Amino acid sequence: MLKKALENVLSEKESEDLFSAFDQIGDIIIVRIPDSLLSKKKIIGETLLEQVKTAKSVFYQSSSVEGDFRTRDLEILAGVDKTETEYKEFGCRFIVDVEKAFFSPRLSTERDRIAELVQDGEIVINMFGGVGMFSIIAAKRKKCTVYNIDINPIAAKLCEKNIELNKLAGRVISIHGDAAQIIEEQLSDQGDRVLMLLPERSDEFLNSAILATKSNGIIHYYSHIHADEKSQAAKLSEKHYLDITPIKSKILNSKIVRAVGPRYYQTVVDVRITK
Ligand SMILES: C[S@@+](CC[C@H](N)C(=O)[O-])C[C@H]1O[C@@H](n2cnc3c(N)ncnc32)[C@H](O)[C@@H]1O
């Protein structure tokens, strides 16, 4: 339907490129537009807004996800200029701000996988927890306690709101600050399970993740891996982890989470460590 609506504006190939780079989050649409189509961005935005009845805003993503907070620049193309919205996933409700705090709807399969792995009674430390997506979905499904740490004050505040919205006070704890420092001061040897969702900097924070984890606890180590063959990416990330880890580790599983560029993948390695 959208392709049809844009058929006078875009060629078949152009519209294919466009729709592989388009996300709807609540009532907000975010579209990445190739340079060759930038002159048509207004009409693309207006058409999307007109056609997608559940959308109130269309933004163009004008930068990649960057900086310590892993945020992106957005430019309004059509509709209401507000970046906060409500998003629902696996029976949980979230207030997200698509510009001021990291959020990706494309990690939902991984959130489901982690929530299934968590066991009742566990203490989970989510080192780079953002607005609480992984933490809240896991705590809604299992009787665990989750520490959701984030250095971005807006992400930590939204996480507090989301804890309230999902009635998880005391089960998910939002902590604002640097994960390495918080772990050293309050959370060493506490975690049955530690999540490291800052793939670009996992190696730098691995010692903090190890400090946070109990002996026999599990670390979910995320990274970005270059692989010529997609089928090799998970094995390469296992090898990378084993090359750099200073601790006795048993690999439990590894997989591609998503493609992040040509021959470039976000992967996760699940490891049990022995201290
Ligand atoms: C890729 S995002 C993941 C967020 C969340 N886990 C999710 O999937 O929605 C990484 C997050 O780490 C946070 N961050 C970056 N450096 C940090 C640090 N040193 N300590 C704690 N959080 C940090 C960023 O603010 C960002 O929200």
Side-chain angles (χ1 to χ4, degrees), residues 26 85 94 102 117 123 152 158 163-164 173 183 242 257 264:
T85 188
F94 298 94
F102 176 91
L117 289 174
I123 294 183
N152 175 355
L158 287 170
I163 292 168
E164 241 176 75
I173 296 114
I183 287 166
L242 290 172
V257 176
Y264 210 43

Side-chain angles (χ1 to χ4, degrees), residues 3-275:
K3 277 192 185 155
K4 186 123 194 70
L6 283 166
E7 79 186 351
N8 294 332
V9 185
L10 306 179
S11 71
E12 179 87 3
K13 166 83 177 75
E14 286 173 338
S15 69
E16 241 147 59
D17 289 350
L18 188 71
F19 290 117
S20 63
F22 141 57
D23 283 321
Q24 183 170 359
I25 301 156
D27 56 10
I28 294 177
I29 289 177
I30 298 176
V31 65
R32 284 176 287 277
I33 300 178
D35 287 351
S36 57
L37 289 181
L38 278 181
S39 59
K40 297 177 182 170
K41 66 185 179 186
K42 269 272 170 217
I43 177 91
I44 291 170
E46 280 156 12
T47 311
L48 283 171
L49 186 69
E50 199 181 289
Q51 295 294 321
V52 182
K53 296 297 173 217
T54 51
K56 292 207 178 104
S57 319
V58 180
F59 289 94
Y60 153 58
Q61 181 173 326
S62 58
S63 78
S64 51
V65 170
E66 55 198 13
D68 275 353
F69 296 171
R70 310 308 298 146
T71 50
R72 55 193 159 187
D73 294 332
L74 298 176
E75 183 186 310
I76 186 77
L77 293 182
V80 191
D81 189 1
K82 66 149 184 69
T83 52
E84 203 173 282
T85 188
E86 185 172 328
Y87 173 82
K88 294 196 181 88
E89 196 177 276
F90 302 119
C92 301
R93 291 166 64 199
F94 298 94
I95 306 291
V96 299
D97 187 314
V98 293
E99 187 176 44
K100 300 191 185 76
F102 176 91
F103 171 75
S104 174
R106 296 180 183 214
L107 291 170
S108 90
T109 307
E110 182 61 6
R111 293 193 265 269
D112 186 44
R113 187 184 81 92
I114 294 291
E116 281 303 299
L117 289 174
V118 170
Q119 307 286 311
D120 286 345
E122 278 189 0
I123 294 183
V124 180
I125 299 176
N126 190 356
M127 290 176 67
F128 311 106
V131 302
M133 301 297 303
F134 279 78
S135 307
I136 285 169
I137 291 170
K140 204 65 183 173
R141 222 177 276 182
K142 305 285 172 64
K143 291 192 188 71
C144 56
T145 302
V146 190
Y147 293 96
N148 190 93
I149 308 170
D150 205 285
I151 203 164
N152 175 355
I154 296 177
K157 264 266 163 287
L158 287 170
C159 182
E160 280 170 25
K161 270 196 197 175
N162 292 331
I163 292 168
E164 241 176 75
L165 211 55
N166 293 282
K167 303 190 172 48
L168 287 169
R171 298 270 316 287
V172 179
I173 296 114
S174 173
I175 305 178
H176 169 229
D178 166 47
Q181 196 183 337
I182 302 285
I183 287 166
E184 206 174 311
E185 290 170 2
Q186 329 172 17
L187 293 173
S188 65
D189 283 317
Q190 300 277 313
D192 294 292
R193 188 178 297 276
V194 173
L195 292 170
M196 300 188 70
L197 274 141
L198 185 60
E200 302 81 358
R201 297 177 66 193
S202 283
D203 295 358
E204 197 186 317
F205 283 96
L206 182 56
N207 282 333
S208 301
I210 293 169
L211 180 64
T213 311
K214 293 176 185 167
S215 188
N216 288 319
I218 292 171
I219 297 178
H220 299 285
Y221 169 89
Y222 293 84
S223 55
H224 282 167
I225 289 284
H226 178 270
D228 287 329
E229 298 290 333
K230 186 177 179 189
S231 58
Q232 290 304 307
K235 278 282 162 235
L236 285 171
S237 61
E238 284 183 20
K239 183 179 177 314
H240 174 76
Y241 172 81
L242 290 172
D243 284 346
I244 60 139
T245 191
I247 193 126
K248 188 171 169 211
S249 305
K250 181 172 186 289
I251 306 267
L252 304 174
N253 188 22
S254 65
K255 69 184 280 270
I256 292 176
V257 176
R258 58 177 175 167
V260 286
R263 290 183 290 282
Y264 210 43
Y265 302 92
Q266 179 176 353
T267 56
V268 57
V269 184
D270 304 338
V271 296
R272 187 180 294 285
I273 64 162
T274 311
K275 282 186 166 171

